[in-house]
Amino acid sequence: RCLNPKCRAYKNYGGRGITVDPAWQSFKCFWSDMQDGYSDDLTIERIDVNGPYCKANCRWATNMEQQANKRNNRIVEYQGQKMHFSEFCRVADVTKGGIRYYLNRYGTGDEAMKMYLRSSYPRWRVSRAGYKFKKRSTTSSTADPGTGS
């Protein structure tokens, strides 16, 4: 994908100027540079997605870490931290579909959450991931449970 213009993925790698360390044409040299930290459940990742495949710019990462390091990720600022959209949804404990509208409209994660929590979006439904959202209580905490007043 970096070296062969006939490869379908070339436009996203070699076509963007992504290169491979010439020494890495030999697996022995690649392995010498990258064997530290290797595990069967990890894959190689470029730290700077616009940088080359070389020792200084590569590391072993989990699939979740790699998904967070993509050019098309949406970065959200929430509670003073910058994170990708999926991480924001996990941290804020919201579904992507439930919060996306508010994020598009209000821009920051903090503002989106404020408006989302004010909304009547049905957070008690079950998400695609199987998470059961709690239904808001419709009775006041000061109401008499016997009479409802």
Side-chain angles (χ1 to χ4, degrees):
R1 16 185 227 192
C2 293
L3 305 174
N4 182 358
K6 293 181 181 179
C7 178
R8 286 176 32 154
Y10 181 80
K11 67 178 183 179
N12 293 316
Y13 292 88
R16 289 194 312 114
I18 307 299
T19 59
V20 179
D21 184 336
W24 283 13
Q25 298 303 312
S26 158
F27 180 76
K28 188 175 183 180
C29 290
F30 163 78
W31 190 244
S32 172
D33 283 350
M34 297 302 299
Q35 68 183 343
D36 291 339
Y38 173 80
S39 174
D40 283 344
D41 60 331
L42 303 175
T43 58
I44 195 143
E45 172 186 56
R46 286 173 293 129
I47 297 163
D48 173 5
V49 296
N50 296 311
Y53 284 95
C54 65
K55 183 177 182 176
N57 192 45
C58 289
R59 68 183 186 118
W60 296 106
T62 64
N63 187 39
M64 177 68 83
E65 291 168 325
Q66 285 208 359
Q67 294 305 311
N69 188 23
K70 293 171 31 179
R71 290 185 299 147
N72 65 348
N73 270 347
R74 181 174 189 173
I75 303 300
V76 178
E77 188 168 338
Y78 179 60
Q79 297 179 341
Q81 296 181 20
K82 289 185 178 181
M83 57 193 80
H84 62 87
F85 181 62
S86 293
E87 182 67 15
F88 163 67
C89 291
R90 277 191 293 281
V91 169
D93 198 24
V94 295
T95 63
K96 291 176 183 178
I99 195 67
R100 185 174 282 121
Y101 165 80
Y102 298 97
L103 198 53
N104 288 341
R105 182 153 186 192
Y106 298 102
T108 68
D110 296 308
E111 284 298 311
M113 280 301 294
K114 184 168 81 175
M115 300 312 289
Y116 173 82
L117 293 172
R118 287 183 182 174
S119 76
S120 59
Y121 184 80
R123 287 179 287 283
W124 59 87
R125 67 177 179 74
V126 175
S127 72
R128 287 184 185 167
Y131 179 79
K132 178 99 171 146
F133 292 91
K134 294 179 182 173
K135 191 169 187 175
R136 288 186 194 171
S137 173
T138 56
T139 61
S140 166
S141 60
T142 59
D144 180 358
T147 64
S149 59

